[in-house]
Amino acid sequence: MNELQHIIEQKQELLARETISRPAVDYSEGMTAEEQKRYINYLAERLEKADLGLRARDAVLQDFLDKQKVYDERLSKLDDVLSKVSSLESSLKEKDRKLKSAERKVADLTAKLKFADKNRFGDKRQKVKKAESIKAEESDRGKDEDDFDGTSSSLPDNSVSKNEACSKGENLSKKDRDLSNRPETYKTMCVKGPSEEYKSDEAKVPGRILGKKMVSVFHLEMSLVEKRFEMVHYVEKGKKPKWGYFPKAGNPEFVTKFEGTKATPEFLQAIAYEVYVKNVTFGLLHQWLTDMGMTVSANTLRNWLKKGKVYLDKLVESLKEVALEKDSIVNCDETWCKVRKYDHYKKCYIWVLVNKAEHVVIFFYDNGSRGRDMLTDFIGDAELKSIMSDGYNAYTFIGNELKAAETPNLSKTDHQVCLAHARAKFVKASEQAGDKNADIFIKYIEDLYNLERQYTKDNLTDEERGKQRQSLETKGILINLRTHLGIEKSKDPATVTPYLQKALNYLDTFWTNIFTYIKDGSYPIDNNAAERAVRPLTTQRNSMLHFGSDDGAKMAATYHSIISTVKLQGRSAWDYLGKFFVNIFNGCRDFFSLRLGNIGLATCQSFR
């Protein structure tokens, strides 16, 4: 503060000194009149020159100011232009970004539309690919004509004279047919069981008989017969009146109707086969029976199948014990269906579990849920070795140690993810989106499948297959696959098509689960067993459009469980359904004996 006060005082002193008036200096003192006049003229000239210089300086300054003003105006306009250019550039970049995003969406939607059209109408391409040898021959044909000069030396190496062709007929013969899959004997057309034979009356032959032969003709009898059993209402002494059937000689011993219905076991067999094997809707089935002269409602036919379902459910429980035995390897999948819920329709799900080793297929349904509780409740406390599925998140808890307390029975179960699903995503990216970067992944996955086909062709045991899966060849393919996965994942996502991005994410997320199969020779490589098992149900879904209630979906799950199990064992669904319903009608309730492999040994315990 003292220094500031001292500076202020000094400044005040300087200002006071500048204000002190001083006397003007008289430069004309001592001059003559003539000298003063010349001096005045000199000063006037200098004043005029100084004034002229000031005006010139003002003019130059004004010119500079005018130019500066013009420059400022131009600079202002240039700033406006630059601002507009900058705004346009940012707008252009934004539009370019939106355009690229729109192009990716258009490509994605175009690929989806192409994929949908292909699935709906099939592949419309009618081009026939010519063999490479034919192409090579056509491409070299003109060259041969130009180079041929009439001498033998100008003939191409692949040309053969007529005589040489005759002498080398073996080399020019067609490729030998592959007879490895040819059966040793051919089956003639016939029908199981005894046939009706109608022999000729030799006495009516007008000449000498040279030989005989039987000609097969097949006849199908499709008719409905109404059987009426006379019931007698009688009373015994000391007992209550009751109804009874007392057959005459040659008549059936019992009233041949399945319990709770007015259909014979054979008729119930036919209804079940039509609906759940041939996928005939109840409306068409009702129309068929009506055309054959039967008066019945479609709802009655459903109720009759429900009566059969009561016994099939108990058989399914018996099969479930086999499918979920300890250390079993199972395939699991789910498919959607439409179910009527009171006044609306809802998208629901039916699950399927396949034990390929035991040849058992189980469908299950509970209110249409797709949650993981469906699977955990069905499996219960079973200790499975492996579960194969797709990448749906309901399966991700399997084998998860963090959820061991919640699902202790599945904490040590290996969760496998289908390799075919991963391949299908890359195929879709290649064929539908046209992204050829997916081809290398398809090639490596195909190499893994070729190895599995070779193991099957060599009839390797599970132990031998497991050792081969741990070989350097398999590990080399996996290393190459992982390397290309890292390369594609490191690219800018904007440069990768949406389909390929989904395929890469799927492979990266489920890498460990997809290639769990290499640790055990008994593990499947894909989920095709469940996919094939669920196909008949999806076919029925397409024909029936929807189930009328949850009970209808449960009934479909039960019947398809039995029919799919029979088909997986290579047997006849028609024969098994007939034997099962006949055994139930005859009083057999031993469902262990009613399994497919034991049904011939089932004993009937009459309950009449």
Side-chain angles (χ1 to χ4, degrees):
M1 293 296 292
N2 293 333
E3 291 181 0
L4 181 61
Q5 184 65 28
H6 180 67
I7 293 172
I8 294 174
E9 290 176 355
Q10 288 181 346
K11 192 67 175 179
Q12 288 177 351
E13 185 178 354
L14 290 174
L15 291 175
R17 290 178 182 178
E18 291 178 358
T19 57
I20 296 175
S21 59
R22 298 178 181 178
V25 180
D26 187 4
Y27 293 99
S28 64
E29 184 178 359
M31 292 183 181
T32 62
E34 185 64 25
E35 290 175 345
Q36 289 180 352
K37 184 176 180 181
R38 287 199 301 270
Y39 183 67
I40 290 171
N41 291 334
Y42 169 75
L43 292 177
E45 289 177 0
R46 289 191 62 180
L47 181 62
E48 185 177 355
K49 288 181 179 180
D51 182 60
L52 184 61
L54 289 173
R55 284 190 295 165
R57 186 185 66 182
D58 291 341
V60 171
L61 182 61
Q62 185 63 39
D63 290 341
F64 279 121
L65 291 176
D66 292 342
K67 290 181 179 180
Q68 183 65 33
K69 185 177 180 181
V70 173
Y71 290 154
D72 290 341
E73 291 178 356
R74 291 181 178 177
L75 185 61
S76 177
K77 292 181 179 180
L78 182 60
D79 290 340
D80 292 340
V81 172
L82 291 175
S83 176
K84 291 180 180 179
V85 169
S86 177
S87 177
L88 289 174
E89 286 180 350
S90 61
S91 177
L92 185 61
K93 289 181 180 179
E94 180 66 19
K95 290 183 178 179
D96 186 55
R97 185 187 65 80
K98 291 182 178 179
L99 179 61
K100 290 182 178 179
S101 177
E103 288 176 349
R104 288 196 299 269
K105 290 181 180 180
V106 168
D108 190 18
L109 293 174
T110 303
K112 289 181 179 179
L113 180 61
K114 185 178 178 181
F115 182 72
D117 289 343
K118 182 177 179 180
N119 287 343
R120 183 178 181 184
F121 301 109
D123 194 351
K124 296 181 179 180
R125 294 175 295 180
Q126 301 294 330
K127 297 180 180 179
V128 179
K129 294 183 179 180
K130 297 183 178 180
E132 294 296 329
S133 59
I134 298 177
K135 291 182 179 180
E137 180 183 350
E138 291 180 350
S139 62
D140 292 339
R141 188 172 297 166
K143 181 176 181 297
D144 294 342
E145 293 175 355
D146 295 337
D147 295 343
F148 179 65
D149 59 3
T151 62
S152 59
S153 60
S154 63
L155 286 172
D157 296 334
N158 59 355
S159 64
V160 181
S161 65
K162 183 177 180 180
N163 295 332
E164 290 174 340
C166 296
S167 62
K168 298 180 181 180
E170 295 180 358
N171 295 333
L172 296 178
S173 61
K174 295 183 179 179
K175 184 179 178 181
D176 293 338
R177 294 176 60 187
D178 183 11
L179 304 179
S180 59
N181 296 326
R182 194 171 184 177
E184 295 180 359
T185 58
Y186 289 98
K187 296 181 180 179
T188 57
M189 190 181 304
C190 62
V191 177
K192 292 183 180 179
S195 60
E196 296 181 4
E197 296 185 355
Y198 304 94
K199 296 188 176 182
S200 299
D201 187 356
E202 298 180 3
K204 296 181 179 180
V205 178
R208 183 167 59 91
I209 298 176
L210 300 177
K212 301 179 182 178
K213 70 175 182 179
M214 301 297 293
V215 177
S216 297
V217 176
F218 299 96
H219 172 64
L220 178 64
E221 294 183 356
M222 296 291 293
S223 62
L224 281 172
V225 177
E226 181 180 359
K227 296 183 178 181
R228 300 173 65 88
F229 296 84
E230 184 181 34
M231 305 295 293
V232 179
H233 195 205
Y234 67 98
V235 60
E236 296 180 303
K237 186 175 182 181
K239 296 182 180 180
K240 294 182 178 180
K242 57 183 179 180
W243 291 90
Y245 167 68
F246 302 93
K248 293 183 178 180
N251 289 347
E253 294 293 327
F254 306 101
V255 178
T256 55
K257 74 168 186 174
F258 196 83
E259 184 178 0
T261 71
K262 290 188 176 181
T264 62
E266 292 78 10
F267 188 38
L268 190 62
Q269 167 196 9
I271 296 175
Y273 191 85
E274 290 289 328
V275 175
Y276 296 109
V277 177
K278 297 173 65 176
N279 296 319
V280 177
T281 64
F282 282 101
L284 293 176
L285 179 63
H286 175 260
Q287 182 63 46
W288 177 53
L289 295 177
T290 301
D291 291 342
M292 295 180 69
M294 182 178 183
T295 303
V296 66
S297 67
N299 195 48
T300 298
L301 300 176
R302 294 190 186 93
N303 291 335
W304 288 356
L305 289 176
K306 287 181 182 179
K307 299 297 183 180
K309 173 184 176 294
V310 173
Y311 301 102
L312 289 173
D313 283 337
K314 297 178 181 179
L315 179 60
V316 170
E317 287 296 323
S318 179
L319 294 175
K320 179 180 175 181
E321 296 177 0
V322 177
L324 299 180
E325 288 180 348
K326 185 177 180 180
D327 293 334
S328 293
I329 300 172
V330 300
N331 297 67
C332 195
D333 197 12
E334 74 286 335
T335 186
W336 67 272
C337 60
K338 188 188 292 186
V339 179
R340 184 174 181 178
K341 302 277 190 176
Y342 300 103
D343 59 343
H344 67 282
Y345 294 93
K346 182 179 179 181
K347 187 176 182 180
C348 299
Y349 291 86
I350 296 179
W351 296 63
V352 61
L353 185 141
V354 181
N355 188 326
K356 191 174 181 180
E358 298 293 339
H359 299 91
V360 175
V361 180
I362 305 291
F363 288 86
F364 51 101
Y365 174 92
D366 185 8
N367 202 30
S369 172
R370 201 187 184 190
R372 72 179 186 186
D373 291 342
M374 276 290 299
L375 187 58
T376 54
D377 292 344
F378 181 81
I379 294 177
D381 57 355
E383 299 178 7
L384 301 177
K385 185 177 181 180
S386 167
I387 293 181
M388 166 66 78
S389 70
D390 54 21
Y392 176 50
N393 58 16
Y395 303 102
T396 56
F397 70 97
I398 302 172
N400 192 334
E401 295 293 340
L402 298 177
K403 300 178 181 179
E406 183 180 352
T407 56
N409 56 315
L410 294 176
S411 60
K412 297 182 180 179
T413 300
D414 287 333
H415 177 210
Q416 294 184 252
V417 173
C418 177
L419 181 59
H421 277 77
R423 180 185 180 278
K425 293 182 182 296
F426 285 106
V427 171
K428 190 174 182 180
S430 176
E431 295 183 356
Q432 306 304 320
D435 196 332
K436 297 306 177 184
N437 291 327
D439 293 343
I440 188 65
F441 295 93
I442 299 173
K443 175 187 176 300
Y444 285 132
I445 294 175
E446 188 62 30
D447 290 342
L448 294 174
Y449 270 101
N450 288 334
L451 292 178
E452 293 298 316
R453 296 187 187 101
Q454 187 61 41
Y455 303 155
T456 303
K457 185 177 180 181
D458 294 340
N459 294 321
L460 299 184
T461 63
D462 290 343
E463 183 179 357
E464 293 172 339
R465 186 186 290 261
K467 291 180 180 180
Q468 290 296 328
R469 287 177 173 178
Q470 295 290 334
S471 65
L472 292 177
E473 186 176 9
T474 302
K475 292 181 179 179
I477 297 174
L478 295 182
I479 291 173
N480 292 333
L481 193 61
R482 189 70 194 184
T483 301
H484 282 84
L485 177 62
I487 293 173
E488 293 297 328
K489 291 285 289 184
S490 62
K491 292 182 179 179
D492 184 5
T495 62
V496 182
T497 58
Y499 281 171
L500 181 58
Q501 190 66 49
K502 292 177 182 178
L504 295 173
N505 293 337
Y506 189 90
L507 183 60
D508 186 36
T509 302
F510 298 107
W511 178 272
T512 303
N513 304 100
I514 289 175
F515 298 108
T516 298
Y517 81 93
I518 67 173
K519 65 185 288 188
D520 195 307
S522 61
Y523 284 177
I525 191 174
D526 53 37
N527 202 30
N528 287 351
E531 295 288 342
R532 286 191 292 266
V534 84
R535 193 170 296 144
L537 187 62
T538 59
T539 304
Q540 186 186 32
R541 176 188 68 199
N542 295 335
S543 61
M544 296 186 66
L545 301 182
H546 69 274
F547 294 108
S549 64
D550 288 329
D551 290 340
K554 291 179 181 178
M555 186 163 64
T558 298
Y559 277 93
H560 278 289
S561 297
I562 304 304
I563 293 170
S564 297
T565 299
V566 172
K567 289 183 176 180
L568 190 61
Q569 297 186 21
R571 306 295 182 86
S572 169
W574 171 264
D575 289 342
Y576 182 78
L577 288 173
K579 292 177 181 179
F580 178 83
F581 287 134
V582 168
N583 277 279
I584 292 296
F585 169 76
N586 290 330
C588 180
R589 297 296 183 269
D590 182 7
F591 292 96
F592 178 83
S593 299
L594 289 175
R595 294 178 187 174
L596 182 60
N598 306 330
I599 194 167
L601 305 175
T603 58
C604 301
Q605 301 172 356
S606 178
F607 57 90
R608 297 179 179 82

